[in-house]
């Protein structure tokens, strides 16, 4: 049979892995059943042969007895007559045989010529009786109890004990260092008991006798987790209460001796603590008696169990970051059920906690456990889902979210490609779920999620590209459905915060991993760079889907995402037309209505309320956003040798717009009004035009001094390479505008925090007043009860 093709092996690896493993498992089961059947057949054949030989011997012995007639006594026989009797035991003439001797001599007469060791099942089933000379009847089962058991068991036990002691003495002489290590870390192995058949827990008490018959060996369970569960429920509802003394004892054994037995007890107690106050019908070995015990138990389990595991199963990390653990060792197999039980309990506890400090402690305990859980995909899937839920929860604090992200990132670093893909998908789903609503209070948390999750897509470029392509394609499908669907509310599938945050998130991912500086450091193009073009097309199509004034804030949100992507990657994205369309709208050309509304926060808004339309405050806000975004867009190319050509269409359109909104009549129609009558907005646009023209003249002056042609790519790219962009006219203007915005944002944030603090104080005072009112009502009701009792007493008198 020839070798399998490479494409076939690749297809089997990617698509048929589970099927092939399932087939191998079925084949192993069939093989074990076949071997078992062969063993049974061989055993039955041997039993048939033994029974046949026994029947033949019985027939031969009976025939010999018939020929010999009356059985002679030993006193009447000589040596020749004794051997001619076929080894038949004769009766004693003058002494009465004892019961035990008759029992020992009786089977000898019926034994086959060749001695054979009788099997256990034969000794249990065959209960043939033998008649002694005095008429006593003794069974074969009595023979084994009275004769064989005391001899064989004691002798074999002593031999095994002596052999084990000799091996230990030889080990101490041959390898004293290893023997010393065993004395320090596993003294129980060197402590040989006096009786080899009794473990430490089975030692007899002072008044108890040691049984002479060997005890049956303890059966090793196939699933050690079931053993832990059986031990966990052995005490029923009357579980042993955990005390501070027991915790101190366990802590000392785990810290000083790294005791696995103490760790097992802590895991059982921690399991009960994780399910405390839950009526789930399960029974646990321990019960939690007080909050202090609960707190100390959590600290002991979450901090010391990973240390003990690391002592017995050290984790080795290669230079490439891969984790190495000996999973085929006996230690790993013995600690696996303990590890799974502890991880499941910690997972359950994590889903029920509400205190941030305890949540962070539980999350930090998962980080050292992850290398041991890599082979338990189902358990990891549940843990990742819970951790991502904490990371994307808007109610979680920033420190708690960072702790949750560290767990997810650690798993993505040490896991294989399958685990990385699972982590990336879970993280993206958590991000979309956590960005459903955006306000001034939740926006910092959403930005934290986007910035932290963007790092994960650079750990494995191949997996990152596969998942990124799938998610960006999903966004394109939603946009196409909104365009092709003729229903009234079809646009709502893309005009929502989740869709906007998804586009902004992917712009952050590509900006982080496809920047020019990063490519210059690594010397190669990153795998995610082909995703830039489809993302830009989807974003441009989304911001132009509904060109109404009510959705101008959404357009500004997506424009900022594209600006973030354009600068570091060095890719030119035509954003000026989308911004000039805003100025050309009727909202910006007509005179606004006076209003007392508060200024609109464009950072937390994608749809302006209808009350803001045609108002002065909304027009000023739009003009400020357009001026800021136009300057930020053009400042990215402020040192480009082609800046005059890039800025010329923008300057022409801005001058035309200023002329229209400042004229006494609009497009020759006197009934349309005299422009927008907004001197603040018009002055800002005039200043922007002046800075653009000044920067164009600055570039022209430097361009006149070059001595290379436009087709010289190296010369074009090195133009003004040593000049800082902040020294250009437009760059200095943008720096000043940024400082003003930062100061304004700082004041707004300060006011918001003061307002939250004031509202919190008012809420607490209101709660205290409600409590006082409740107490007054209770006191009043108590006084009424007293008065009623006094009236009743008076009536009785």
């Amino acid at each position: 049979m020839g070798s399998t093709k490479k494409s076939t092996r690749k297809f089997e690896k990617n698509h048929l892995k589970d099927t092939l493993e399932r087939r191998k498992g079925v084949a192993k089961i069939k093989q074990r059943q076949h071997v078992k059947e062969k063993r049974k057949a061989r055993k039955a054949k041997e039993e048939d042969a033994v029974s046949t030989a026994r029947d033949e011997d019985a027939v031969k012995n009976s025939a010999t007895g018939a020929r010999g007639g009356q059985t002679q006594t030993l006193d009447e026989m000589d040596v020749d007559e004794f051997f001619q009797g076929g080894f038949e035991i004769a009766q004693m003439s003058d002494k009465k045989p004892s019961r035990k001797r008759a029992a020992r001599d009786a089977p000898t007469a019926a034994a086959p010529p060749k001695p054979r060791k009788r099997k256990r099942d034969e000794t249990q089933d065959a209960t043939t009786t033998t008649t002694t000379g005095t008429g006593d009847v003794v069974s074969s089962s009595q023979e084994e109890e009275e004769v064989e058991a005391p001899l064989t068991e004691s002798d074999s036990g002593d031999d095994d004990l002596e052999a084990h002691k000799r091996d230990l003495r030889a080990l101490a002489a041959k390898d004293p260092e290893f023997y010393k290590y065993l004395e320090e870390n596993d003294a129980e192995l060197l402590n040989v008991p006096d009786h080899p058949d009794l473990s430490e827990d089975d030692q007899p008490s002072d008044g108890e006798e040691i049984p002479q018959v060997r005890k049956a060996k303890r059966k090793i369970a196939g699933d050690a987790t079931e053993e832990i569960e059986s031990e966990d429920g052995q005490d029923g509802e009357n579980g042993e209460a955990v005390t501070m003394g027991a915790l101190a004892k366990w802590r000392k054994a785990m810290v000083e001796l790294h005791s696995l037995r103490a760790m097992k007890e802590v895991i059982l107690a921690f399991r009960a603590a994780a399910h405390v106050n839950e009526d789930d019908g399960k029974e646990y070995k321990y019960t939690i008696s007080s909050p202090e015990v609960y707190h100390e138990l959590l600290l002991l389990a979450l901090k010391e169990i990973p240390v003990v595991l690391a002592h017995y199963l050290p984790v080795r990390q290669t230079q490439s970051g891969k984790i190495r653990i000996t999973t085929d060792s006996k230690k790993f197999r013995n600690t696996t059920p303990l590890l799974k039980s502890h991880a499941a309990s910690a997972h359950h506890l994590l889903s029920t906690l509400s205190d941030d400090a305890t949540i962070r402690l539980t999350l930090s305990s998962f980080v050292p456990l992850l290398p041991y859980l890599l082979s338990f995909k189902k358990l990891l899937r549940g843990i990742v889902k819970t951790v991502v839920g904490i990371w994307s929860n808007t109610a979680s604090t920033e420190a708690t979210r960072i702790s949750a992200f560290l767990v997810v990132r650690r798993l993505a670093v040490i896991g294989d490609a399958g685990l990385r893909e699972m982590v990336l998908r879970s993280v993206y789903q958590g991000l979309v779920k956590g960005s459903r609503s955006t306000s001034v209070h939740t926006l910092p948390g959403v930005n934290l999620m986007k910035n932290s999750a963007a790092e994960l897509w650079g750990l494995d470029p191949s997996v990152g590209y596969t998942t990124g392509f799938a998610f960006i394609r999903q966004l394109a499908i939603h946009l196409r459905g909104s365009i092709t669907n003729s229903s009234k509310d079809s646009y709502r599938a893309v005009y929502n915060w989740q869709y906007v945050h998804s586009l902004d998130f992917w712009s952050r991912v590509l900006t982080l991993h496809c920047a020019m500086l990063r490519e210059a450091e690594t010397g190669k193009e990153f795998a995610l760079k082909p995703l830039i073009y489809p993302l830009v097309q989807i974003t441009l199509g989304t911001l132009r889907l509904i060109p109404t004034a009510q959705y101008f804030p959404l357009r500004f949100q997506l424009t900022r995402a594209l600006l973030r992507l354009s600068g570091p990657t060095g890719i030119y994205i035509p954003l000026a037309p989308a911004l000039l369309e805003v100025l050309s709208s009727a909202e910006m050309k007509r005179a606004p209505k006076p209003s007392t509304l508060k200024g609109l926060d464009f950072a937390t808004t994608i749809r302006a309320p209808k009350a803001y339309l045609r108002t002065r405050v909304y027009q000023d806000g739009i003009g400020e956003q357009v001026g800021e975004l136009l300057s930020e867009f053009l400042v990215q190319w402020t040192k480009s040798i082609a800046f005059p050509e890039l800025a010329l269409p923008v300057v022409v359109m801005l001058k035309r717009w200023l002329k229209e909104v400042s004229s006494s009549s609009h497009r020759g129609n006197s009934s349309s009004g005299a422009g927008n009558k907004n001197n603040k907005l018009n002055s800002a646009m005039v200043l922007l035009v002046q800075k653009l023209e000044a920067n164009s003249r600055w570039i022209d002056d430097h361009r006149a001094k070059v001595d290379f042609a436009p087709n010289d790519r190296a010369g074009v790219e090195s133009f003004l390479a040593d000049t800082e962009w902040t020294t250009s006219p437009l760059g200095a203007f943008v720096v000043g505008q940024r400082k003003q915005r930062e100061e304004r944002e700082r004041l707004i944030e300060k006011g918001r925090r003061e307002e939250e603090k004031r509202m919190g104080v008012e809420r607490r005072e209101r709660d205290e007043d409600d409590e006082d009112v409740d107490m007054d009502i209770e006191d009043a009701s108590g006084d009424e009860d007293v008065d009623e009792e006094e009236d009743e007493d008076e009536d009785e008198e």
Side-chain angles (χ1 to χ4, degrees):
M1 184 176 180
S3 60
T4 310
K5 293 183 179 180
K6 184 178 180 181
S7 58
T8 304
R9 294 196 301 270
K10 185 176 181 182
F11 180 81
E12 291 177 350
K13 180 180 179 182
N14 295 334
H15 302 282
L16 301 179
K17 186 176 181 180
D18 295 337
T19 304
L20 294 177
E21 290 180 354
R22 190 161 49 251
R23 289 179 180 176
K24 290 180 181 179
V26 173
K28 290 181 179 179
I29 293 174
K30 291 183 177 180
Q31 184 179 3
R32 286 196 294 267
Q33 292 178 351
H34 181 64
V35 172
K36 189 182 296 183
E37 291 175 357
K38 290 179 64 177
R39 190 181 294 112
K40 288 183 179 179
R42 185 169 60 252
K43 185 176 180 180
K45 187 177 179 180
E46 292 177 355
E47 291 178 353
D48 293 340
V50 170
S51 61
T52 303
R54 187 186 298 115
D55 295 339
E56 294 178 355
D57 294 338
V59 172
K60 184 184 297 183
N61 292 334
S62 61
T64 305
R67 288 193 306 267
Q70 184 79 21
T71 304
Q72 297 179 343
T73 61
L74 291 177
D75 297 336
E76 300 175 354
M77 286 186 180
D78 56 8
V79 178
D80 295 334
E81 291 176 350
F82 173 76
F83 282 103
Q84 289 177 1
F87 295 97
E88 182 180 359
I89 301 300
Q91 298 177 355
M92 298 297 295
S93 60
D94 53 350
K95 292 184 181 181
K96 182 178 180 180
S98 64
R99 180 186 181 92
K100 187 174 295 187
R101 180 172 183 130
R104 185 174 63 251
D105 295 341
T108 307
K114 185 177 180 180
R116 181 183 60 84
K117 186 177 181 181
R118 182 171 296 179
K119 294 186 177 181
R120 185 180 298 273
D121 55 353
E122 297 176 4
T123 59
Q124 293 175 353
D125 297 337
T127 57
T128 57
T129 60
T130 304
T131 305
T132 62
T134 59
D136 296 332
V137 179
V138 181
S139 65
S140 61
S141 59
Q142 290 175 341
E143 297 169 5
E144 291 178 357
E145 291 180 0
E146 297 176 359
V147 181
E148 293 183 2
L151 294 176
T152 57
E153 295 299 334
S154 60
D155 294 342
S156 61
D158 295 339
D159 294 341
D160 294 340
L161 180 61
E162 292 298 331
H164 186 56
K165 290 182 178 179
R166 286 196 302 270
D167 293 339
L168 291 179
R169 288 194 295 269
L171 177 63
K174 184 178 180 180
D175 195 349
E177 296 181 358
F178 182 67
Y179 189 83
K180 184 179 180 181
Y181 173 80
L182 290 178
E183 288 180 341
E184 296 176 354
N185 297 275
D186 200 352
E188 297 178 358
L189 180 62
L190 303 179
N191 187 14
V192 182
D194 295 334
H195 196 280
D197 299 332
L198 295 177
S199 62
E200 182 179 351
D201 298 334
D202 298 328
Q203 291 291 341
S205 59
D206 297 336
E208 183 181 358
E209 296 182 358
I210 300 177
Q212 296 298 324
V213 183
R214 181 186 295 270
K215 295 175 63 177
K217 292 185 179 180
R218 183 175 298 175
K219 183 178 180 182
I220 300 176
D223 190 359
T225 307
E226 296 180 358
E227 293 182 3
I228 294 179
E229 293 179 353
S230 62
E231 280 190 38
D232 209 3
Q234 66 185 357
D235 293 336
E237 297 180 356
N238 300 323
E240 180 182 353
V242 181
T243 61
M244 298 298 291
L247 290 176
K249 180 181 178 181
W250 292 340
R251 180 184 295 276
K252 182 178 180 180
M254 294 176 65
V255 173
E256 298 180 359
L257 303 177
H258 300 96
S259 174
L260 288 176
R261 181 174 299 176
M263 185 184 73
K264 180 179 179 181
E265 299 301 323
V266 172
I267 289 175
L268 293 175
F270 178 71
R271 186 177 183 182
H275 296 80
V276 69
N277 296 331
E278 293 184 7
D279 189 11
D280 53 2
K282 295 182 179 179
E283 299 175 351
Y284 303 99
K285 181 178 180 180
Y286 293 101
T287 58
I288 309 303
S289 56
S290 64
E292 292 78 10
V293 172
Y294 179 82
H295 178 69
E296 291 297 327
L297 178 59
L298 291 188
L299 293 178
L300 176 61
L302 297 177
K303 290 184 177 181
E304 299 301 333
I305 288 178
V307 177
V308 176
L309 287 174
H311 175 77
Y312 281 96
L313 297 172
V315 179
R316 297 178 178 85
Q317 187 172 359
T318 61
Q319 295 180 353
S320 60
K322 293 183 179 181
I323 297 298
R324 301 293 184 187
I325 298 179
T326 307
T327 58
D328 56 349
S329 62
K330 185 177 180 181
K331 288 184 178 180
F332 184 83
R333 290 193 298 269
N334 292 338
T335 56
T336 293
L338 302 176
L339 176 64
K340 292 178 66 177
S341 177
H342 175 66
S345 302
H347 177 213
H348 181 79
L349 177 67
L350 189 62
S351 61
T352 59
L353 292 175
S354 58
D355 181 62
D356 290 330
T358 311
I359 292 175
R360 289 196 299 270
L361 177 62
T362 308
L363 289 171
S364 61
S365 68
F366 272 110
V367 176
L369 295 179
L370 291 177
Y372 307 102
L373 301 174
L374 292 178
S375 56
F376 310 118
K377 301 296 180 65
K378 185 177 180 180
L379 180 61
L380 278 179
R381 192 178 298 111
I383 294 174
V384 169
K385 184 178 179 181
T386 303
V387 173
V388 170
I390 296 174
W391 171 74
S392 61
N393 188 6
T394 56
S396 301
T397 61
E398 183 177 350
T400 303
R401 287 187 167 190
I402 293 175
S403 300
F405 174 74
L406 292 178
V407 177
V408 176
R409 186 186 182 279
R410 177 61 175 172
L411 181 59
V413 169
I414 66 176
D416 55 5
L419 285 175
R420 290 194 186 101
E421 183 176 357
M422 183 264 291
V423 168
L424 293 181
R425 290 184 180 276
S426 300
V427 167
Y428 184 72
Q429 292 173 1
L431 172 64
V432 174
K433 183 180 178 181
S435 60
R436 186 182 301 274
S437 61
T438 302
S439 63
V440 67
H441 305 286
T442 60
L443 184 60
V446 174
N447 290 331
L448 174 65
M449 285 194 296
K450 290 189 286 188
N451 292 329
S452 58
E455 181 189 355
L456 300 179
W457 263 261
L459 298 177
D460 192 337
S462 59
V463 177
Y465 175 81
T466 303
T467 55
F469 178 83
F471 292 134
I472 293 176
R473 181 177 179 273
Q474 188 179 14
L475 296 175
I477 293 173
H478 285 299
L479 178 61
R480 184 184 63 182
S482 299
I483 296 174
T484 57
N485 194 357
S486 59
S487 63
K488 183 179 179 180
D489 297 334
S490 61
Y491 70 94
R492 296 184 183 276
V494 295
Y495 271 36
N496 55 69
W497 271 117
Q498 290 177 308
Y499 196 88
V500 172
H501 281 307
S502 297
L503 292 175
D504 183 69
F505 167 70
W506 289 115
S507 70
R508 294 172 189 257
V509 171
L510 298 180
T511 301
L512 178 62
H513 300 294
C514 301
M516 293 185 296
L517 294 178
R518 190 183 184 94
E519 291 184 357
E521 292 175 357
T522 58
K524 59 182 180 179
E525 184 176 301
F526 203 72
L528 296 178
K529 194 169 185 178
L531 298 177
I532 295 179
Y533 178 76
L535 180 65
V536 171
Q537 294 299 317
I538 295 171
T539 308
L540 291 176
T542 303
L543 63 87
R544 287 181 172 176
L545 181 61
I546 300 180
T548 59
Q550 196 169 10
Y551 284 100
F552 283 165
L554 184 142
R555 180 175 294 212
F556 299 150
Q557 294 278 355
L558 298 181
T559 302
R560 293 182 185 278
L562 293 178
L563 280 175
R564 183 187 300 108
L565 179 61
S566 176
T569 58
I571 297 176
Y572 176 77
I573 303 175
L575 296 176
L579 297 174
L580 294 175
E581 287 178 3
V582 176
L583 291 178
S584 302
S585 63
E587 184 76 21
M588 304 300 293
K589 290 183 178 180
R590 297 177 182 177
K593 298 181 296 183
S595 175
T596 58
L597 294 173
K598 185 175 64 174
L600 187 65
D601 187 6
F602 287 89
T604 59
T605 306
I606 59 174
R607 182 178 179 271
K610 290 184 178 181
Y612 279 86
L613 300 179
R614 305 293 178 85
T615 60
R616 179 66 178 267
V617 64
Y618 189 52
Q619 192 179 75
D620 290 344
I622 292 177
E624 183 180 353
Q625 292 291 316
V626 171
E628 175 191 347
L629 294 175
L630 277 176
S631 60
E632 290 288 345
F633 166 66
L634 292 172
V635 80
Q636 295 179 353
W637 316 100
T638 183
K639 296 193 306 177
S640 174
I641 199 171
F643 181 83
E645 288 75 17
L646 292 175
L648 180 61
V650 179
V651 172
V652 172
M653 293 298 296
L654 288 177
K655 286 183 176 180
R656 185 180 299 173
W657 180 80
L658 288 171
K659 184 178 180 181
E660 291 177 355
V661 299
S662 302
S663 61
S664 58
S665 62
H666 180 60
R667 292 178 181 257
N669 187 2
S670 58
S671 62
S672 61
N676 59 10
K677 297 181 182 181
N678 193 336
N679 293 328
K680 179 182 178 181
L681 172 61
N682 299 340
S683 300
M685 293 302 157
V686 170
L687 180 61
L688 178 60
V689 170
Q690 293 175 357
K691 296 300 180 181
L692 293 178
E693 290 178 343
N695 201 85
S696 298
R697 290 192 297 269
W698 182 70
I699 292 295
D700 287 335
D701 295 340
H702 286 82
R703 192 164 62 179
K705 301 176 183 179
V706 300
D707 55 355
F708 53 84
N711 60 355
D712 188 355
R713 187 69 177 176
V716 170
E717 292 179 353
S718 61
F719 179 73
L720 296 180
D722 299 333
T723 305
E724 293 291 334
W725 67 273
T726 55
T727 58
S728 64
L730 182 60
F733 170 71
V734 170
V735 170
Q737 294 294 318
R738 289 179 179 177
K739 290 182 179 179
Q740 293 180 6
R741 287 194 300 272
E742 290 175 358
E743 182 66 20
R744 184 166 59 252
E745 291 175 357
R746 187 182 64 82
L747 293 176
I748 293 174
E749 181 67 18
K750 182 179 179 181
R752 183 183 65 82
R753 291 180 178 179
E754 291 179 354
E755 183 179 0
E756 289 181 351
K757 185 178 180 180
R758 180 178 56 81
M759 292 177 63
V761 172
E762 292 178 354
R763 190 182 301 109
R764 287 194 296 271
E765 291 178 353
R766 194 183 307 113
D767 295 338
E768 292 176 357
D769 294 339
D770 294 340
E771 292 178 358
D772 294 339
V773 170
D774 294 338
M775 292 177 64
D776 293 340
I777 293 173
E778 291 177 357
D779 294 338
S781 61
D783 295 339
E784 292 177 357
D785 295 338
V786 172
D787 295 338
E788 291 177 358
E789 291 177 358
E790 292 178 354
D791 295 338
E792 291 177 357
D793 295 338
E794 292 177 358
D795 294 339
E796 291 177 358
E797 292 177 357

